[in-house]
Amino acid sequence: MLLRTILRRLAVGVVQLLGLTVAVFFLIRLMPADPVSRFVGINPSKAAYAQAAKAIGVDRPISTQLLHYLGLAPSQGKGLLQGNLGTSWVSNAPVLKDIATALPVTLELITMAFIIALIIAVPIGMLAALRPGGKTDKAVFVYGLFAGSQPEFWWALLFVFVFYFKLGIAPPPLGLINPMNSPPPPRTGFYTIDSLLAGDLTTFFDLLHHLMLPVATLVFILSGPIIKMVRQNMEQALTADFVLYARAAGMPGSTVARYALRAAMAPSMTLIGILYGFMLGGAVLVESVFSLPGIGQYAVRSILAFDYPAIQGVVLVITAISLVVYLLLDLLHAIIDPRLAQE
Amino acid sequence: MPPADAPLLLEVKGLKVGYPVQRRMVTPIDGLDLTIREREVVGLLGDAGSGKSTAALAMLGLVRPPGRILAGEVRFLGQDLLKLSPEGLRALRGKDLALIVQNPRGALHPMLPVGRQISNAYRAHGAASSKEGWQRAIDLLRNVGINDPERRVHSYAHELSGGMAQRALISMALSSTPRLLIADEPTSGLDVTIQAQFLDEMAATVRGTGSAILLVTQDLGIIANYCDRVVVLHEGRIVESAATREFFIKPQHAYSRQVLSLVRAPATPAKFAADIAPLIEVRDLVKHFSIKGRDKKVQAVDGVSFAIRPGESLGLVGESGSGKTTVGRCLLRLVEPTSGDIRYRGQSIASIKPAELRRFRSKLQIVFQDPYDALNPRYTMEDVIREPLDLHTDLDAIGKRRRIGELLDLVGLDPKRMGEKPRGLGAGALQRLNIARALATGPEFIVLDEPTSVLSPLARVGFIELLARLKKDLGLAYLFISHDLTTVQHVCDRVAVMYLGQIVEVGTTEQVFKRPAHPYAQALLGAHLTADPMHRRVDRPPVNALAGEIPSPIDLPPGCYLASRCRHVTEACRVTPQTLAMHAEGRPVRCMRVLAGEVPIGGSP
Ligand code: SF4
């Protein structure tokens, strides 16, 4: 039963991805831009232009290009269906390889940020709801005013200013590792995991040190909406009959709080999923400030360069990850709430 | 009943509970005084909005957020609960002071198995391991008669029926042998037979353990049958406190007198000559619903026949799943019957052409259970009634306005307020508005589908009086579908009892209520709590109760549908399908043993 639901969701996901790929394929070609001219400079000769167009394959009819991209035209070479996302026009490397380098950086960054944000924000939201008007509640209010009022890159810069420039606790915002250090041998692509696998603790701690500020910035930004959501859902759960009844049955405060939290977390899942999907691309400003070569940076670079295969690849991969995250959260939701599992 | 000098258990003085509403404090409980003695069963009677539930919670020192207890004392066993430390209070709650609430399924956490919750409650009052708690949950569920408790402990609230969930809660509440049990409308929403069964069990258990009960209710029948003393809550204060019998004989407060007016003045049913042509005639009505994804069918209505004469009201009673609501909908062609013949003034409804359907609809109206659902929230009262006038009459604007005024006046609403939106009105006034709308087209016949189920006692009294008046003045005929037997008794001339899609007995209201013949009718009427403190149910053990649960309407038994639950069942019953045939007392009954005179009839006081 459960397996069937998962398989169905995955099948639907694949169809969605295909549809999106085709849509993006046409949309980027509607951009008022000429990718060829970026290769040949201003006022190229006709022959040079034609050669460049041929090199990146845009001289072919659009339908041929699409079929080739999807992998439905074997004569043209491998495509999506064969697991080939094409070659980046800028880096000349396979898009898949580019993404495999950039994506782990972002995933590492935002996953860490999410875990820490949840660890901090959920109890705070709970406390604020349990004691409305109390100290936590007031502090949350003030924090909400601050955090929401400035964009994240501003906070990022402020953090750099305070913690690197003034206090000197943090490293300079120049990437993931100390330039003196070499990256760990790639196995999973995730530097932290790879360094641990290699048993290289120096690099591992260096990584954490470099991730400190970007993660802190994201935690600072993410905690706001998470606290608000937990608080709201908690408040609602606290007025529920079963919480009142648990009190009437003389259950200890901790049990009552657990009852309410359980009911409050279920509806929060969806929002956390959406937030995660959004941050995949939305962390780009933080990545820029700290010069982290993440997927957001890669996406922006590809768009500015009209690097069609790269844009396609990024959209596809980010959407795929979002869909998987939604699916996982829905499964978790169903485990928490048996009423959903039944349907 | 405990002696009058039994020691005080609970003493509430000057209790005040407030809720912040738009920066002001409203006080639904405003100076409540109340005492309960040991072993006493006290009924707390009050209308909707009187603050009953708030009061019940406040006796445990609890308030629904964001409310607060503003003033007063709640002395329980000599100590003021409101001055107790949170830990001290917690230790009392669920141990000496137990609560059961209105909506049992809502009181259970939807995402935790019931066993875990019972275990948590148990472990809150004593060091027990999680394993012991779990075992205790199984034992408790077994004690309250839940089949297969080892499996049931793993169920979630939504997998339990209302009755089962309520039994699970009461098992939890009584497990600690509390000194005081506060029961806040514990049976609202349950079918009558389950209600009676549940209250009997509660009364018996409490007698055994020597607990006292505060029974919060709107139901005079419950008060009369189970309570030693009545206190009446009105606008946040106790306005009357009397021994139950005295209360029914000589109510003091105006509110008490109003709610008791029906009990004190029973209706006199109309008499009809036998040869009047029926207004509505139903023959062999059948309605199947097919189940998605399976080739089985639900037999909602299974060969129902009856007739209603002009100006007559027929009550259709039965528990959930009896098919009574579907019958009403088929009558107005809101659902299409699978087969059968429905005639209005001799004309078959199925043969009515679309062009005539409108005129037909104007003569036959329906009023639904939930008055909120049936009204468009953006409409004013005037708009609500104008709609049918626009459709079915050719009055001009002035004529319509006058008619709207008349109709509002007729149902007892103030015509001057016709420009207001009905949102702020109570359920009773809304239901009156629905009646006014139904009357706008000048109908001869109205189907009333559980019209009183959401009304407060006071609104119900007014509504019943309105129905009786309209029937007399306008000569209306009703099909009154309800599980509220008290109302049926007051409104209906004749009553048909349904069980699993079939009518099992039809008779005059007096016959069916005084001498029910069919075993199911006997059980149903036997479970009816008559508001008569002289024949209390707690004083006479009930005899006609049914065993087991209602069979699924998908897999019906081959013989008599009641065979699995009937006390009088024989082998022949299980294989012989029963037909509705005339009983010697001159009314149709669907039971061969009753017809053969083998089963004593009556049995209800
Ligand atoms: S036919 Fe038999 S089982 Fe059915 S109601 Fe009569 S006595 Fe009971």
Side-chain angles (χ1 to χ4, degrees):
Chain A
M1 183 61 219
L2 189 63
L3 194 69
R4 241 179 51 203
T5 319
I6 298 175
L7 288 179
R8 211 193 55 222
R9 284 279 295 269
L10 287 177
V12 171
V14 168
V15 174
Q16 280 173 327
L17 285 178
L18 263 179
L20 190 78
T21 303
V22 174
V24 170
F25 184 87
F26 286 108
L27 279 176
I28 45 178
R29 279 162 178 78
L30 285 178
M31 287 200 296
D34 180 3
V36 182
S37 57
R38 287 198 49 96
F39 293 95
V40 289
I42 312 162
N43 294 329
S45 73
K46 261 214 167 122
Y49 188 93
Q51 203 198 349
K54 194 168 162 64
I56 58 174
V58 293
D59 59 331
R60 298 168 300 171
I62 271 219
S63 56
T64 318
Q65 292 183 39
L66 179 62
L67 289 179
H68 174 209
Y69 186 78
L70 293 177
L72 296 173
S75 61
Q76 306 273 339
K78 285 184 182 166
L80 186 58
L81 287 184
Q82 290 83 33
N84 185 345
L85 293 183
T87 306
S88 163
W89 295 343
V90 176
S91 66
N92 253 325
V95 170
L96 206 56
K97 201 169 146 245
D98 278 352
I99 291 179
T101 346
L103 187 64
V105 176
T106 305
L107 285 181
E108 220 161 27
L109 173 68
I110 63 175
T111 306
M112 261 190 226
F114 261 87
I115 293 174
I116 297 175
L118 285 175
I119 292 175
I120 297 176
V122 170
I124 292 181
M126 255 176 87
L127 267 180
L130 282 172
R131 301 207 178 77
K135 280 201 192 88
T136 321
D137 196 18
K138 289 201 179 109
V140 164
F141 179 73
V142 175
Y143 158 73
L145 282 186
F146 266 105
S149 63
Q150 303 296 335
E152 62 241 54
F153 69 86
W154 191 87
W155 290 111
L157 289 173
L158 186 77
F159 281 14
V160 170
F161 176 75
V162 174
F163 293 100
Y164 163 63
F165 195 66
K166 281 281 170 203
L167 301 177
I169 310 173
L174 296 172
L176 261 181
I177 43 171
N178 192 322
M180 299 287 132
N181 241 324
S182 54
R187 288 196 208 172
T188 59
F190 294 89
Y191 277 18
T192 42
I193 299 177
D194 286 345
S195 65
L196 280 181
L197 286 179
D200 182 356
L201 285 184
T202 330
T203 314
F204 178 69
F205 286 117
D206 184 43
L207 277 168
L208 290 191
H209 195 204
H210 277 84
L211 278 171
M212 175 171 98
L213 280 193
V215 167
T217 313
L218 283 181
V219 168
F220 192 73
I221 296 297
L222 284 172
S223 295
I226 299 181
I227 290 178
K228 203 166 151 197
M229 168 187 77
V230 170
R231 195 196 129 126
Q232 254 171 17
N233 288 334
M234 243 337 239
E235 263 173 2
Q236 211 173 24
L238 281 173
T239 59
D241 279 2
F242 53 83
V243 167
L244 207 64
Y245 193 79
R247 285 215 171 101
M251 295 191 198
S254 57
T255 310
V256 175
R258 256 193 301 132
Y259 274 35
L261 182 66
R262 185 156 186 141
M265 276 325 276
S268 309
M269 294 293 179
T270 324
L271 197 101
I272 291 174
I274 293 173
L275 212 54
Y276 191 90
F278 175 75
M279 281 324 266
L280 274 175
V284 62
L285 290 177
V286 174
E287 286 174 9
S288 301
V289 172
F290 294 98
S291 324
L292 302 176
I295 193 83
Q297 291 246 59
Y298 183 72
V300 170
R301 198 210 69 198
S302 310
I303 292 170
L304 292 179
F306 309 122
D307 188 349
Y308 290 177
I311 299 175
Q312 289 257 314
V314 168
V315 171
L316 197 70
V317 167
I318 289 191
T319 316
I321 293 178
S322 302
L323 288 176
V324 170
V325 169
Y326 292 168
L327 178 62
L328 287 180
L329 284 174
D330 281 353
L331 288 179
L332 203 58
H333 195 169
I335 292 172
I336 294 185
D337 191 341
R339 287 172 296 183
L340 290 175
Q342 205 185 32
E343 279 162 19
Chain B
M1 200 186 296
D5 58 350
L8 276 186
L9 189 63
L10 181 84
E11 190 179 13
V12 180
K13 271 195 222 145
L15 184 68
K16 206 167 162 179
V17 179
Y19 278 85
V21 175
Q22 292 167 355
R23 289 160 177 266
R24 278 188 323 116
M25 268 290 174
V26 293
T27 47
I29 298 297
D30 195 2
L32 178 112
D33 300 307
L34 175 76
T35 55
I36 299 175
R37 294 182 182 279
E38 274 179 15
R39 306 183 83 98
E40 195 179 25
V41 181
V42 178
L44 178 68
L45 182 70
D47 222 69
S50 64
K52 289 188 305 285
S53 294
T54 312
L57 280 177
M59 312 267 152
L60 295 137
L62 278 173
V63 194
R64 209 177 267 283
R68 269 188 296 137
I69 295 182
L70 301 176
E73 279 177 24
V74 179
R75 295 201 152 272
F76 177 68
L77 294 170
Q79 46 186 344
D80 187 354
L81 296 186
L82 306 183
K83 294 216 177 71
L84 231 48
S85 69
E87 180 51 31
L89 194 54
R90 186 193 74 69
L92 277 179
R93 285 181 191 152
K95 185 149 190 0
D96 294 319
L97 251 178
L99 175 76
I100 31 181
V101 287
Q102 252 185 72
N103 164 11
R105 269 183 290 192
L108 290 171
H109 197 296
M111 304 168 200
L112 292 172
V114 270
R116 165 107 353 257
Q117 300 185 53
I118 299 178
S119 159
N120 281 346
Y122 175 62
R123 291 168 64 205
H125 300 288
S129 69
S130 138
K131 209 166 145 223
E132 285 163 346
W134 200 253
Q135 187 51 45
R136 174 82 175 165
I138 295 175
D139 295 343
L140 283 174
L141 290 184
R142 184 178 296 116
N143 286 348
V144 288
I146 286 177
N147 294 330
D148 202 359
E150 285 87 357
R151 199 169 56 83
R152 279 295 173 197
V153 280
H154 298 285
S155 314
Y156 293 92
H158 67 274
E159 295 164 347
L160 301 177
S161 71
M164 223 189 273
Q166 192 59 286
R167 273 193 268 160
L169 284 197
I170 193 146
S171 76
M172 223 154 117
L174 293 180
S175 67
S176 60
T177 50
R179 305 291 295 275
L180 175 62
L181 173 68
I182 295 167
D184 181 8
E185 304 205 46
T187 55
S188 70
L190 300 186
D191 273 320
V192 266
T193 52
I194 300 171
Q195 158 172 302
Q197 206 181 353
F198 175 82
L199 289 172
D200 290 344
E201 277 168 20
M202 185 174 82
T205 320
V206 163
R207 278 188 176 185
T209 57
S211 311
I213 310 184
L214 178 69
L215 187 54
V216 180
T217 183
Q218 304 196 336
D219 187 327
L220 291 168
I222 293 181
I223 298 260
N225 283 284
Y226 294 97
C227 298
D228 304 320
R229 191 156 60 85
V230 190
V231 290
V232 179
L233 184 66
H234 188 63
E235 293 176 350
R237 282 164 197 263
I238 300 295
V239 292
E240 175 160 3
S241 165
T244 305
R245 286 191 188 185
E246 264 164 56
F247 174 75
F248 278 87
I249 298 166
K250 251 195 357 226
Q252 301 295 319
H253 191 262
Y255 170 77
S256 321
R257 281 202 292 273
Q258 261 173 308
V259 281
L260 280 172
S261 61
L262 281 184
V263 180
R264 287 137 60 79
T268 42
K271 295 263 180 295
F272 292 90
D275 55 352
I276 299 182
L279 183 71
I280 299 284
E281 206 179 354
V282 177
R283 253 189 247 138
D284 288 324
L285 182 68
V286 174
K287 177 65 193 175
H288 296 164
F289 292 103
S290 38
I291 311 172
K292 228 168 100 188
R294 290 169 67 183
D295 52 351
K296 296 225 169 188
K297 291 195 177 82
V298 179
Q299 292 252 23
V301 179
D302 186 4
V304 161
S305 307
F306 58 82
I308 301 174
R309 288 164 284 201
E312 185 183 41
S313 71
L314 175 71
L316 203 52
V317 302
E319 296 177 286
S320 354
S322 64
K324 54 191 193 304
T325 297
T326 312
V327 170
R329 310 229 153 150
C330 285
L331 238 58
L332 296 190
R333 279 177 71 181
L334 295 176
V335 294
E336 284 301 322
T338 307
S339 68
D341 189 23
I342 303 171
R343 286 173 184 273
Y344 163 66
R345 291 201 175 276
Q347 186 189 8
S348 170
I349 288 184
S351 71
I352 292 178
K353 294 182 190 64
E356 292 172 56
L357 200 60
R358 183 188 285 190
R359 199 186 62 81
F360 157 76
R361 283 258 155 87
S362 74
K363 293 292 170 197
L364 274 63
Q365 288 286 327
I366 185 162
V367 171
F368 292 105
Q369 174 170 9
D370 190 340
Y372 301 93
D373 271 3
L375 292 171
N376 183 334
R378 274 172 307 174
Y379 278 19
T380 63
M381 294 202 249
E382 187 181 350
D383 297 335
V384 169
I385 306 179
R386 173 166 298 124
E387 205 180 11
L389 288 179
D390 285 343
L391 266 176
H392 296 288
T393 67
D394 34 328
L395 291 171
D396 58 6
I398 301 169
K400 277 180 193 156
R401 249 187 98 81
R402 186 177 330 117
R403 183 89 185 108
I404 293 169
E406 283 168 12
L407 285 164
L408 285 174
D409 193 45
L410 188 64
V411 297
L413 293 172
D414 184 357
K416 288 200 206 78
R417 294 175 61 185
M418 68 167 81
E420 292 175 24
K421 297 212 171 117
R423 203 171 357 140
L425 300 177
L430 284 182
Q431 207 56 304
R432 283 168 190 267
L433 184 61
N434 277 323
I435 294 271
R437 172 169 65 180
L439 291 176
T441 57
E444 294 179 291
F445 175 70
I446 303 182
V447 174
L448 297 153
D449 185 5
E450 303 267 10
T452 58
S453 61
V454 296
L455 303 190
S456 72
L458 199 59
R460 180 170 318 173
V461 171
F463 189 72
I464 293 172
E465 280 164 357
L466 172 69
L467 290 180
R469 183 159 54 82
L470 293 176
K471 176 168 174 263
K472 200 159 116 259
D473 296 353
L474 306 179
L476 286 176
Y478 302 133
L479 178 66
F480 194 94
I481 301 165
S482 184
H483 65 263
D484 171 7
L485 295 171
T486 309
T487 309
V488 169
Q489 194 174 11
H490 282 98
V491 176
C492 299
D493 305 312
R494 282 191 308 135
V495 177
V497 182
M498 280 188 78
Y499 182 70
L500 278 174
Q502 296 182 327
I503 290 182
V504 295
E505 177 168 351
V506 193
T508 64
T509 305
E510 174 151 4
Q511 283 172 334
V512 174
F513 275 77
K514 291 272 156 62
R515 284 176 63 72
H518 191 277
Y520 177 73
Q522 293 195 20
L524 184 72
L525 274 307
H528 174 219
L529 299 173
T530 318
D532 176 4
M534 297 307 182
H535 300 92
R536 299 186 354 137
R537 192 179 164 92
V538 277
D539 301 329
R540 61 179 159 85
V543 286
N544 293 327
L546 291 176
E549 302 211 349
I550 188 164
S552 149
I554 304 169
D555 296 304
L556 287 166
C560 172
Y561 287 178
L562 195 65
S564 60
R565 310 175 69 191
C566 182
R567 283 194 309 140
H568 308 287
V569 62
T570 61
E571 270 321 299
C573 300
R574 296 191 198 277
V575 291
T576 326
Q578 301 295 307
T579 49
L580 204 56
M582 201 53 87
H583 180 254
E585 285 189 9
R587 59 185 141 133
V589 177
R590 191 188 288 270
C591 167
M592 57 184 190
R593 299 206 65 206
V594 169
L595 293 168
E598 294 167 5
V599 169
I601 71 171
S604 173

